[in-house]
Amino acid sequence: KQWYQRRVAITAGEKNLTPVQFSEILVDDLEIPGAFVPVIANIIQTQVDGYDADTKALVENSDHRVIIKLNVHVGNTSLVDQFEWDISCPQNSPEEFARNLCQELGLGGEFISAISYSIRGQLGWHIKTMTFTEAPLKAIETPLRTGNLDKWAPNIENLTDQEMEKKIRDQDRNARRMRRLANMN
């Protein structure tokens, strides 16, 4: 048995590249049997449809702020940041935010896609969580931060190869631990 996992960001309602076309290209690139095309296309379409249905649950003009945490690595550069994001505001764009953040911090273009991908993934998780729980999101009581301000500012580190490997290994270990905890509950 072989296992393949790939993460991609697909725009809902994309007209130029359908899930079937994307699947055909992927199958061709990976040199796997064409029988996988409809399976992959179905997986993509199911997730896109699920995201659309979940986002309709948001009520415009309501405050649905969530905390987004970035921990992005490109080459030997590591970016750690956190900020609030209003998931009910349709004008908020992860791609535009990523472009602006990278421009302000002087980060290369590879960070733009990594940051926007991370934001979209967390937004999807928050929206799914919100649609499956009865409790509303916790309201933000004070918009100004007074304590522990360092965690609300971007932190950029240039690490050696060994430091980067250790950091990624620690994060992978922590992610596995969190998945185990989630599966136990």
Side-chain angles (χ1 to χ4, degrees), residues 53-142:
D54 292 340
T55 55
K56 288 178 182 144
L58 297 174
V59 179
E60 249 188 272
N61 300 324
S62 63
D63 190 5
H64 288 102
R65 285 183 277 174
V66 295
I67 295 175
I68 301 293
K69 295 184 178 195
L70 294 180
N71 199 342
V72 178
H73 313 291
V74 174
N76 284 11
T77 304
S78 174
L79 167 68
V80 178
D81 195 6
Q82 75 174 18
F83 47 87
E84 291 178 2
W85 189 280
D86 184 359
I87 57 178
S88 64
C89 180
Q91 288 83 23
N92 286 345
S93 164
E95 291 75 20
E96 186 177 335
F97 177 85
R99 273 191 299 276
N100 291 336
L101 181 65
C102 288
Q103 183 179 7
E104 290 172 6
L105 298 177
L107 296 172
E110 291 179 20
F111 271 97
I112 296 172
S113 58
I115 291 168
S116 60
Y117 179 81
S118 178
I119 293 170
R120 286 214 177 268
Q122 291 178 62
L123 293 176
W125 183 85
H126 283 295
I127 291 168
K128 277 259 190 240
T129 301
M130 192 178 79
T131 57
F132 288 116
T133 59
E134 299 288 325
L137 292 173
K138 183 182 173 193
I140 308 289
E141 292 155 10
T142 56

Side-chain angles (χ1 to χ4, degrees), residues 2-185:
Q2 288 186 342
W3 179 260
Y4 182 76
Q5 182 178 1
R6 186 173 194 163
R7 295 180 177 142
V8 294
I10 295 184
T11 304
E14 173 67 48
K15 302 285 188 250
N16 297 322
L17 187 66
T18 67
V20 171
Q21 292 168 325
F22 177 83
S23 302
E24 289 169 345
I25 293 168
L26 180 65
V27 163
D28 187 48
D29 286 350
L30 296 176
E31 299 177 351
I32 58 177
F36 285 101
V37 170
V39 174
I40 295 169
N42 185 39
I43 290 169
I44 293 170
Q45 192 61 53
T46 301
Q47 292 183 21
V48 168
D49 292 344
Y51 183 80
D52 286 345
D54 292 340
T55 55
K56 288 178 182 144
L58 297 174
V59 179
E60 249 188 272
N61 300 324
S62 63
D63 190 5
H64 288 102
R65 285 183 277 174
V66 295
I67 295 175
I68 301 293
K69 295 184 178 195
L70 294 180
N71 199 342
V72 178
H73 313 291
V74 174
N76 284 11
T77 304
S78 174
L79 167 68
V80 178
D81 195 6
Q82 75 174 18
F83 47 87
E84 291 178 2
W85 189 280
D86 184 359
I87 57 178
S88 64
C89 180
Q91 288 83 23
N92 286 345
S93 164
E95 291 75 20
E96 186 177 335
F97 177 85
R99 273 191 299 276
N100 291 336
L101 181 65
C102 288
Q103 183 179 7
E104 290 172 6
L105 298 177
L107 296 172
E110 291 179 20
F111 271 97
I112 296 172
S113 58
I115 291 168
S116 60
Y117 179 81
S118 178
I119 293 170
R120 286 214 177 268
Q122 291 178 62
L123 293 176
W125 183 85
H126 283 295
I127 291 168
K128 277 259 190 240
T129 301
M130 192 178 79
T131 57
F132 288 116
T133 59
E134 299 288 325
L137 292 173
K138 183 182 173 193
I140 308 289
E141 292 155 10
T142 56
L144 298 175
R145 304 287 175 209
T146 56
N148 202 1
L149 298 178
D150 289 342
K151 73 178 188 177
W152 294 97
N155 181 25
I156 300 171
E157 292 181 299
N158 290 311
L159 305 171
T160 65
D161 289 339
Q162 293 82 11
E163 291 171 328
M164 185 59 78
E165 286 176 19
K166 182 182 182 324
K167 188 170 190 160
I168 291 171
R169 196 172 46 248
D170 290 346
Q171 288 174 344
D172 288 344
R173 188 176 301 125
N174 189 45
R176 285 193 304 274
R177 184 178 63 78
M178 296 303 282
R179 276 195 298 272
R180 279 194 305 272
L181 288 173
N183 290 334
M184 294 171 98
N185 296 332

